[in-house]
Amino acid sequence: MEKSSDLFGLILNSGPSQDTIFLILTKMEEEGRHNEVMQECLKALKNYPDDIRLRNLLVTSYLQTGFAGLAEMEFNKIASGIDKLIPTYKFMADLYVRQQRFKEAGEALNRYIAHYPDDLEALAQLGLTRSIMPTVILIA
């Protein structure tokens, strides 16, 4: 473990890419090095604050070390980030309808509506998609 520790530290201190940081920290987490992972995640999140993977890894380390309150705060940040991305499914559905890919449109709308069940426009669009492609099933 000493050699991997030295190598991981060398890589982390050499300005690695976002993906490399995640890979290294995942391996360190697998080795049970939770305190180091927490420190390095916090450093990396200063440069990559929207990286949900790093936040999730930080949550795992917090939970492993008994910091449930900090884990909950990170969970909330992750959920907030995901919520901001959900409207993408509605945009995808519109694109799929234009391409007459009704099954994919229905699937994207189902995902969107699971988060925004009161969006009447999306519900109407799903109804149109279902009438064209009756195999689409609403999961809401």
Side-chain angles (χ1 to χ4, degrees), residues 99-118:
Q99 296 174 338
Q100 298 183 3
R101 295 168 56 190
F102 302 111
K103 182 176 185 225
E104 291 100 328
E107 291 168 356
L109 283 169
N110 279 330
R111 288 185 178 135
Y112 173 79
I113 291 169
H115 296 272
Y116 296 97
D118 297 330

Side-chain angles (χ1 to χ4, degrees), residues 5-73:
S5 179
D6 292 343
L7 180 59
F8 291 159
L10 180 64
I11 293 170
L12 289 172
N13 290 324
S14 298
S17 71
Q18 192 171 349
D19 289 333
T20 300
I21 292 170
F22 176 71
L23 291 172
I24 296 285
L25 295 180
T26 299
K27 184 64 178 165
M28 289 171 64
E29 178 67 25
E30 290 169 2
E31 292 179 355
R33 297 164 56 186
H34 309 295
N35 289 326
E36 292 173 83
V37 171
M38 287 186 294
Q39 292 171 359
E40 293 297 332
C41 278
L42 290 169
K43 281 187 211 174
L45 285 167
K46 288 178 183 176
N47 293 321
Y48 308 109
D50 297 328
D51 192 316
I52 292 174
R53 300 169 309 159
L54 288 172
R55 287 206 182 278
N56 196 50
L57 196 55
L58 182 56
V59 165
T60 302
S61 291
Y62 280 154
L63 290 173
Q64 291 293 325
T65 53
F67 293 110
L70 293 173
E72 183 180 359
M73 287 174 33

Side-chain angles (χ1 to χ4, degrees), residues 49-52 55 59 71-88 115-116:
D50 297 328
D51 192 316
I52 292 174
R55 287 206 182 278
V59 165
E72 183 180 359
M73 287 174 33
E74 288 303 320
F75 273 135
N76 288 329
K77 290 176 186 177
I78 292 168
S80 175
I82 291 170
D83 284 344
K84 291 175 187 174
L85 299 173
I86 296 301
T88 301
H115 296 272
Y116 296 97

